[in-house]
Amino acid sequence: MMVRPDTQLRTIIRAMTEVVLPAVDPANQMAQEQAQVVVGTLLLMAERLPLQFQFDRDELQRLTDFAEQLAGVASGGPRTSDLITRLAADARAGRDVLERAKADPAELVDTVRQLRAVAGAVVDTVFADAAAAPCRDAVWHEVLTMSRDQLLRERAWVLPQGFEQDPSSLPSLDSLLGTAAATG
Amino acid sequence: MLTAEKILPRGHDKNAPQPAWIEDLRGRYTTEREIDAILTRRLGRRAGPGYAPQSLATLRAGVEALLHDELDEPFTVLDTRWLTGGASKVQMAFTLDWVEPGVGRTRTPMVLRMEPAESIVETSRLREFQLIRAMRGVVPVPPAYWVDADGSHLPYPALIYGFAPGATRPSTATSGVSGLGINFGPALRGPLASQFVEHLAAVHTFDFSGAQLGAFDVPQAGTQSVEWGLNWWARVWEEDCGEEVPLMNLAAHWMRQNMPPADRICVVHGDYRAGNYLFTEADARITALLDWELGRLGDRHQDLAYLATPVFGHLAEDGATFLASGLLPPDELYEAYEKASGLTVDPRRLHFYKIYNAFFLAALTLGTGYRIARGGKTHQDVLVAWLIGIGSLLLDEIRMLLEKGF
């Protein structure tokens, strides 16, 4: 999927610095200052966004370690004991999340792109290789089926851009990604 | 398309193309010589700097340098100002005080149309210049005056043509960026639609045999023009895409297996839609057809399919009727076209060229748009990046058309 924040941020910063900022009224100090802060914030986001996941995972790793240490050394009365029990349980939950969060987002995107490339090459081969002729109908069907599902998600992703003629015909992105419960 | 060449090794950098890769692409995708030259030139420059913002003073100096070579009499470039002109080209309006041949000293409003470092539509200024000149007197186009085909005088290749009165949309209209989905309103649709069709018929019935179109290769009858077109856009897709889309591979194979022979070769505008012509609102008159950069010699069905591309139209007030290019339902436009041109509209070729057009638009938005926005190659990176969002609609159009079949 090509509509990604890294590309968007890069172009927004360029538009702000090369087109918008030079056109902001020099006499309007608040507008000048806020425009500069907007650019600074965008630069920070562009630099840090690729590291956001690693930062959060690193933080969870260290907090889980800390929680386990804390649960091991802390003791006290019933209220303290209850909280220590809860902290130990949350640390176990943290370990579970860490176990499931081993791959970096960049690795995930790279793998998606590699699969896209090789799948595309297989399509090319099937339609160029006479020996592959018997499977062409099946390949045709698989590509169209995958594309229908994938493109539904991509169209829902960019729905706010306003290109759809009938936006109500699209399912929500949450329902398509199965994230409604998680985000709700 | 050969499979082995398309799986690029990890680490291959399309932003720094190697000569061997460029030559391989040129060998696999035979197309018109000028298009090959333009695409090869852009790959050769890709690793170079991005677009550097240009001042009006710089462009004015470039225009003056060009005119010093072109004009014998003294001249003055006046009233320079920016024009917004979509996502693909930098445009500056100015007035030229000059001695016009056959007229004498006069002041003429003009437009400089210049490429950025890389455009979302990488095309030839020479071809655009020649085609606008050829169409003068056939359909309303501005007079094309001069061309700096290789950027000898200006920072990038450019042409200069006359300033045409009018606007691309009504003063109260709503539309998306780059002229997408312009709503002309019920009162304007009828008169604009009839001219829109008549002008297209005039383009397609124009006898180009005597025209000065040296930057165009004339295809043989049959499938050569469509094959050149397919190779053009398949090459652009391979050069630019940031990630493969198996549906694009499938569509390319379907098109190569189903290339329709053209019954006649004609001038094709290539980008004939709302937003690419000017009209004066008071009399609903089309004053200029613009954006000829995608023009070529080919099959009229390319334009006919294009004007009905979903993203260029919208639903009418009833919420159900699709208005092609914001004007009329496609069938009504095609019926009027057949009457105006005396040519037939073939549904099978329309179907083919709908897929062809969606393929090339997807290559531009998802491929080139991504590549040049990442590289900072244009004056409109933010707009180009915004247009990437249309790509999924275009791909879904391809999917639906492939599923539907002829």
Side-chain angles (χ1 to χ4, degrees):
Chain A
M1 207 272 287
M2 299 302 293
V3 181
R4 311 192 77 86
D6 53 344
T7 303
Q8 292 167 325
L9 283 169
R10 187 184 295 225
T11 61
I12 293 167
I13 291 166
R14 190 147 191 252
M16 283 296 297
T17 52
E18 294 184 0
V19 179
V20 178
L21 261 175
V24 173
D25 181 1
N28 187 333
Q29 288 191 357
M30 183 182 288
Q32 281 280 341
E33 185 175 87
Q34 292 203 5
Q36 297 281 358
V37 172
V38 165
V39 172
T41 306
L42 290 170
L43 283 167
L44 177 65
M45 290 170 67
E47 191 168 323
R48 297 303 185 222
L49 190 63
L51 300 174
Q52 183 76 60
F53 182 83
Q54 289 92 325
F55 193 100
D56 291 338
R57 187 178 56 192
D58 177 76
E59 183 175 7
L60 179 59
Q61 170 76 59
R62 286 178 298 99
L63 272 173
T64 302
D65 291 346
F66 169 68
E68 288 170 350
Q69 293 293 331
L70 193 59
V73 299
S75 61
R79 178 177 166 78
T80 305
S81 294
D82 284 350
L83 283 171
I84 291 169
T85 301
R86 179 173 171 180
L87 184 62
D90 285 350
R92 285 194 296 277
R95 287 277 169 225
D96 178 57
V97 171
L98 280 169
E99 187 63 27
R100 289 186 284 115
K102 285 181 175 172
D104 284 349
E107 186 182 355
L108 193 146
V109 173
D110 279 350
T111 307
V112 163
R113 290 185 171 168
Q114 183 65 12
L115 280 171
R116 280 177 169 273
V118 179
V122 167
V123 173
D124 284 347
T125 303
V126 162
F127 283 90
D129 177 4
C135 74
R136 284 178 189 161
D137 285 350
V139 169
W140 175 273
H141 173 76
E142 290 298 334
V143 173
L144 292 179
T145 300
M146 180 279 288
S147 301
R148 186 186 309 119
D149 292 342
Q150 174 65 20
L151 291 169
L152 203 55
R153 283 152 180 76
E154 293 185 12
R155 288 167 57 197
W157 183 265
V158 298
L159 186 65
Q161 288 190 269
F163 296 131
E164 291 284 342
Q165 287 183 0
D166 182 11
S168 65
S169 67
L170 277 182
S172 73
L173 189 62
D174 277 345
S175 68
L176 289 168
L177 298 180
T179 56
T183 58
Chain B
M1 277 188 267
L2 299 176
T3 303
E5 289 85 345
K6 288 190 64 184
I7 306 179
L8 299 170
R10 285 185 187 271
H12 175 92
D13 187 0
K14 290 186 178 181
N15 296 320
Q18 297 302 304
W21 185 58
I22 297 173
E23 285 308 307
D24 174 60
L25 288 163
R26 297 183 68 199
R28 282 189 288 128
Y29 296 113
T30 303
T31 190
E32 291 186 67
R33 286 168 295 175
E34 178 74 1
I35 291 169
D36 170 50
I38 293 298
L39 294 179
T40 302
R41 183 186 69 183
R42 90 173 173 146
L43 285 189
R45 294 177 178 175
R46 178 162 286 172
Y51 176 77
Q54 306 293 326
S55 67
L56 285 171
T58 300
L59 298 192
R60 176 179 173 163
V63 169
E64 289 171 343
L66 173 62
L67 296 187
H68 275 300
D69 274 7
E70 299 282 351
L71 299 176
D72 296 327
E73 302 288 341
F75 65 86
T76 309
V77 176
L78 305 163
D79 305 328
T80 56
R81 62 194 186 281
W82 295 117
L83 283 180
T84 59
S88 70
K89 301 293 175 290
V90 181
Q91 297 200 121
M92 178 187 81
F94 63 97
T95 300
L96 183 65
D97 184 310
W98 63 313
V99 178
E100 184 175 1
V103 176
R105 183 153 295 279
T106 186
R107 287 191 171 188
T108 308
M110 296 186 179
V111 175
L112 171 75
R113 179 169 162 82
M114 186 184 76
E115 301 171 11
E118 280 190 44
S119 172
I120 190 167
V121 190
E122 192 74 13
T123 52
S124 160
R125 298 287 63 69
L126 182 59
R127 280 169 70 100
E128 186 174 25
F129 180 78
Q130 289 182 348
L131 197 50
I132 294 172
R133 279 208 153 175
M135 286 294 122
R136 187 81 171 149
V138 179
V139 290
V141 290
Y145 292 109
W146 304 283
V147 62
D148 183 10
D150 54 5
S152 300
H153 302 285
L154 285 137
Y156 303 100
L159 61 85
I160 293 173
Y161 57 45
F163 183 93
T168 58
R169 70 189 72 182
S171 50
T172 57
T174 58
S175 83
V177 295
S178 206
L180 300 176
I182 294 175
N183 190 332
F184 296 102
L188 280 170
R189 283 176 198 147
L192 289 179
S194 61
Q195 297 167 75
F196 184 73
V197 167
E198 286 163 10
H199 293 325
L200 186 60
V203 171
H204 290 168
T205 54
F206 169 64
D207 177 6
F208 63 84
S209 59
Q212 299 296 311
L213 295 172
F216 294 76
D217 290 337
V218 181
Q220 298 168 358
T223 57
Q224 189 170 44
S225 69
V226 66
E227 187 168 15
W228 282 349
L230 277 177
N231 283 339
W232 179 359
W233 298 113
R235 175 174 167 179
V236 166
W237 175 245
E238 187 168 338
E239 288 175 355
D240 294 348
C241 73
E243 63 181 31
E244 295 287 342
V245 177
L247 182 65
M248 291 287 275
N249 303 67
L250 198 69
H253 287 290
W254 183 89
M255 287 192 285
R256 289 188 190 282
Q257 289 165 357
N258 292 278
M259 290 189 293
D263 57 347
R264 62 194 302 277
I265 298 296
C266 66
V267 170
V268 172
H269 182 283
D271 199 4
Y272 201 77
R273 62 175 175 87
N276 281 346
Y277 61 85
L278 301 176
F279 68 97
T280 43
E281 198 167 350
D283 57 359
R285 183 174 60 87
I286 291 179
T287 55
L289 304 182
L290 303 174
D291 289 338
W292 292 84
E293 61 181 312
L294 286 164
R296 68 192 195 107
L297 301 175
D299 188 322
R300 63 186 179 279
H301 292 83
Q302 183 184 329
D303 280 337
L304 291 166
Y306 192 78
L307 61 85
T309 302
V311 293
F312 299 144
H314 62 85
L315 298 179
E317 287 70 19
D318 65 6
T321 306
F322 175 66
L323 300 175
S325 290
L327 296 173
L328 285 176
D331 286 347
E332 291 183 36
L333 283 172
Y334 295 147
E335 187 180 346
Y337 173 85
E338 287 186 325
K339 286 179 184 168
S341 67
L343 300 169
T344 56
V345 177
D346 175 3
R348 287 179 66 89
R349 274 190 282 168
L350 271 183
H351 181 83
F352 176 90
Y353 277 104
K354 284 180 182 175
I355 295 172
Y356 173 98
N357 289 328
F359 182 90
F360 103 72
L361 288 169
L364 290 184
T365 53
L366 285 171
T368 309
Y370 163 79
R371 183 67 48 194
I372 63 177
R374 295 282 299 180
K377 295 288 188 177
T378 88
H379 60 305
Q380 290 266 50
D381 287 350
V382 71
L383 175 56
V384 167
W386 178 261
L387 291 174
I388 296 172
I390 301 178
S392 53
L393 277 77
L394 294 163
L395 290 177
D396 212 36
E397 174 79 358
I398 293 173
R399 179 195 62 77
M400 286 188 287
L401 290 164
L402 289 177
E403 284 188 343
K404 180 182 172 189
F406 280 124

